[in-house]
Amino acid sequence: MAETIANGRADQCANNIDGPTNPMVTPILTDLYQFTMAYAYWKAGKHNERAVFDLYFRRNPFGGEYTIFAGLEECIKFIANFKFTEDEIAFIRSSLPPTCEDGFFEYLRELDCSDIEIYAVTEGSVVFPKVPLMRIEGPIAVVQLLETPFVNLINYASLVTTNAARHRFVAGRSKILLEFGLRRAQGPDGGISASKYCYMGGFDATRRITVFLCFDSNVAAGKLFGIPLRGTHSHAFVSSFLSPDEIIEKSLQHRDGSSVCEDFVSLVQTWLNKLKWSHLLGGIFSETNQSELAAFTSYALAFPGSFLALVDTYDVMRSGIPNFCAVALALNDLGYKSVGIRLDSGDLAYQSCEARKFFRAIEKEFGLPGFGKMNITASNDLNEETLDALNKQGHEVDAFGIGTHLVTCYAQAALGVVFKLVEINNQPRIKLSEDVSKVSIPCKKRCYRLYGKEGYALVDIMTGENEPQPKVGERILCRHPFSESKRAYVVPQHVEELLKCFWPGNSDKTREDLPPLKEIRERCIEQLDKMRPDHMRRLNPTPYKVSVSAKLYDFIHFLWLNEAPVGELQ
Amino acid sequence: MAETIANGRADQCANNIDGPTNPMVTPILTDLYQFTMAYAYWKAGKHNERAVFDLYFRRNPFGGEYTIFAGLEECIKFIANFKFTEDEIAFIRSSLPPTCEDGFFEYLRELDCSDIEIYAVTEGSVVFPKVPLMRIEGPIAVVQLLETPFVNLINYASLVTTNAARHRFVAGRSKILLEFGLRRAQGPDGGISASKYCYMGGFDATRRITVFLCFDSNVAAGKLFGIPLRGTHSHAFVSSFLSPDEIIEKSLQHRDGSSVCEDFVSLVQTWLNKLKWSHLLGGIFSETNQSELAAFTSYALAFPGSFLALVDTYDVMRSGIPNFCAVALALNDLGYKSVGIRLDSGDLAYQSCEARKFFRAIEKEFGLPGFGKMNITASNDLNEETLDALNKQGHEVDAFGIGTHLVTCYAQAALGVVFKLVEINNQPRIKLSEDVSKVSIPCKKRCYRLYGKEGYALVDIMTGENEPQPKVGERILCRHPFSESKRAYVVPQHVEELLKCFWPGNSDKTREDLPPLKEIRERCIEQLDKMRPDHMRRLNPTPYKVSVSAKLYDFIHFLWLNEAPVGELQ
């Protein structure tokens, strides 16, 4: 059905922006109440009233003090192709009371997003609570229909990108980070989009394959996006072999084509014996597991140029590492350089150090420069805490494979992105709540990031649409939106306007380009560098300041008093 | 692209089972290493060796002692349509080293799942750690290609169904449970499938609309699945109105068509004044918020027969409830019965009790039987704990809207489903680990649930494929798979074989039907009833026993000793 919808839509929409990555993202990926409200607006003749909504979140995730904004491209792809199919309209009709008038469905039939304007922060930016990530303006009924899909598309994207950035922060820049989470992700799409956003947040590679095809029909998309793929084998591959005897095709050509080793299996066996009786290595192991040895040998015969072995199926030090080394040394005889090992259980810090010692001993014993630097990848339920613990303990891991905790955002599985009305027909609106943190900031706003002398961001400030822009070198009062006593003068050395036009609708404003993933990733890394380190640290980070202008502050509180009913004590 | 793939696939696969709900679920929704392994198997001439894999999990989620199995239907839909397209094969080729031989891609081109046999627990069953949920048998290279998609499709489905069942358990049977989580879900698909699985786990309705269209191209699918839709309006709808003056079309016909009220706005105002000056109600409020009053009135004019209002935009007791009641009373004059209110912030227990008092006072004051029973829906970051706290405090809520915590499985965002080789070429295989809980249980197995005299399930037992089936009334020894001293004799009163054939492949076995969602839901509720209450309770539940036969126990430990390398103390 999703195909039919997508095809139907493609016929109706003529523009040069592709639809969302997931074909299930359609105008009916929404809550029923968006349609009941749209009907009520329409019925009241109010549907075309011009409304402004802010999309923002209230609290940074993971106990941190920053968030990365992601998901914008998918939102723009969504509205660029926003059009109801006949099937969808029939379904909406069947979901509403039969008293709903035909005119409404005629209205839906004609709807598109040409009258919508979207201003947003650039994807990949560091963002903070309360400041709008997107400002959506247009006919109220249409803007409301965008609420649920937008919030859905931004929520997880921003959450998982932030999670990736946090993992990168703990792991440090020099380590390779691999995204391993497809099988534990919350559904196929959670898996697919995670690859994109983890890469955006600073990961290096993914082991899933789908990610490229879904982004683009071009099979070269993998190269285009530049997310490398990494793969090796599983425990099942290891235990599927019984012994080296079952390997029939034993020959392997030298890498330079100069000769052929007719019995690679024997060559491996020879090396295993050398290792066993070596002065430096002897005594660490006796009989290694033959099923594992067969699997490694067989895998090396298939991929002699990129041999990487999972070494913990039976016993890392007594079997996996010696078996790996025997195969790697045999490959080395034939001119092939092996990639390394993967550890997937047990004490990763200890095992990696022992493995490194073993590799170095081989380098020394057999005079093989570089063997000691063999890549060690570690996986097994890794997260920020375990990475931090490994760092403190000391380890020899070069690459981390992170799955479950990364893609499911296990430490905090949701970001609270909301979508609030801030103005209608040029009238600012406020949403009150007994919980001050849930009070919305009214008015169509402009938002700026003010930078200090050292190049770090100092504060974000929101102003009314028509207030003068903060100027470099000019003192400006920044006020906490809800706390009277919290305010500070700032003299910015650099002023960055945060909201840019990504969808001008019918207006003649220029549309910002949607940059390629790689550029967004670079922006993200760059932006993180512009933040003061104390905002970024894992433990007790300093909150970054988010403020409003003096004028906006006064207006918020005027409106608040105006809308809140006066109590009567009895 | 997903469309192209799906279309291409449809041409090639002729069977009467639809593809997966999400068109992105294709044979390349997998990890790269499944293809590198497939190539290594193929290169070793081993790809057609007959392997048996078990899909299972190691620990129940949410600190509980049970899990609901879900996602099977999607797996069967996946393999029924398993076929690589030319684009996919080209992409796989481009992702593997150029040395990979052409023959492998020829092999992939011909692949399908006709030689696979799948035995599984019926979807919606209560299941426990270690016992296979699915047993997948077939050529090893093909079965490995199923690992990642199967694990992905089962993991989240089972997790969220279990989460829904747990919420139902705390809320009790009499409450209505609404699934509200689309906007906070982990991506569009996490949102869409959550509706299906929450319904399976005992929820009553969803507020999202997409769910039906995605399951089926039939717009009547909503009725078919029988998941009701529920919708009302948002805070933005309330604050988008300024005052009742802006309502232009004020007339409303009596429900029976007998007359027309020309000024419904005035009628509402009249009722509001009556409430204000009433003996019973007076003093609770003075001036209500006019923007809210306008929004409620307008919504009632659009949906007079199903008026449900969100009452916390400004102040629940001083504004929302009186405004709602004025509109509901005006509707009542015209023959319409209102649905009720929704509370979305603050002290839900207190507010619901106060609202109930107010409704009852109106019933009494104006002699309106039933008004006191007005539906009260509560939402706002609800989860198992808050439901439990509300129960303890005492409340008057009839329906709960649960979003974030439900669909993102916030309390535990992933289930650790794994996929392990247990036999190849009739040779049982084991995967060892320093962590005993990670050791796999070898052999192609049969699994049974043994029931006691009171009708409750006593224990699950796994046996070798060819062992005699446990018999009613016959004593059988059930052993803990890894702990020598833990064992018990059981005399079952009823024996249920757990694994049934859902995909016979080329064999002549009968395929179990995939039951409709509603039947799965009923099975789930029924199954939960067959569990002893102490396994189900929230705090400190008793673990349910999972065992192996004496023969299988001996074999596991024989194989373990056989595969583990002997250490040497130095």
Side-chain angles (χ1 to χ4, degrees), chain A residues 28 32 210 239 283 429 570, chain B residues 28 207 210 239 283 429 570:
Chain A
I28 62 156
L32 180 65
T210 337
S239 49
R429 304 303 291 150
Q570 290 168 29
Chain B
I28 61 157
R207 77 170 180 192
T210 337
S239 49
R429 304 304 290 151
Q570 290 169 32

Side-chain angles (χ1 to χ4, degrees), chain B residues 312-326:
Chain B
D312 72 332
T313 306
Y314 299 105
D315 188 305
V316 172
M317 290 314 297
R318 289 183 199 142
S319 185
I321 300 280
N323 279 339
F324 165 77
C325 290

Side-chain angles (χ1 to χ4, degrees), chain A residues 449-474:
Chain A
R449 182 158 297 168
L450 309 183
Y451 291 86
K453 281 179 191 159
E454 290 168 21
Y456 289 130
L458 292 177
V459 64
D460 282 6
I461 184 167
M462 296 174 258
T463 74
E465 171 72 355
N466 298 315
E467 286 188 60
Q469 180 162 343
K471 285 191 186 61
V472 169
E474 267 185 29

Side-chain angles (χ1 to χ4, degrees), chain A residues 203-216:
Chain A
F203 270 57
D204 297 295
T206 177
R207 77 171 180 192
R208 80 192 45 169
I209 180 160
T210 337
V211 64
F212 310 111
L213 262 181
C214 295
F215 289 166
D216 201 290

Side-chain angles (χ1 to χ4, degrees), chain B residues 9-17 80-81:
Chain B
R9 220 179 310 279
D11 296 342
Q12 292 173 56
C13 307
N15 67 61
N16 54 3
I17 299 178
N81 295 276

Side-chain angles (χ1 to χ4, degrees), chain A residues 3 7 28 30-32 36 46 147 152 182-183 186 207 209-210 213 232 239-240 283 408 429 570, chain B residues 3 7 28 30-32 36 46 147 152 182-183 186 207 209-210 213 232 239-240 283 408 429 570:
Chain A
E3 297 151 46
N7 291 345
I28 62 156
T30 195
D31 292 312
L32 180 65
T36 57
K46 199 178 159 71
E147 174 176 10
N152 177 283
L182 176 57
R183 59 191 70 190
Q186 296 199 354
R207 77 171 180 192
I209 180 160
T210 337
L213 262 181
T232 162
S239 49
S240 78
T408 68
R429 304 303 291 150
Q570 290 168 29
Chain B
E3 295 151 46
N7 292 344
I28 61 157
T30 194
D31 292 312
L32 179 66
T36 57
K46 198 178 160 71
E147 173 177 13
N152 178 283
L182 176 55
R183 57 190 72 192
Q186 297 200 351
R207 77 170 180 192
I209 180 161
T210 337
L213 263 180
T232 162
S239 49
S240 78
T408 68
R429 304 304 290 151
Q570 290 169 32

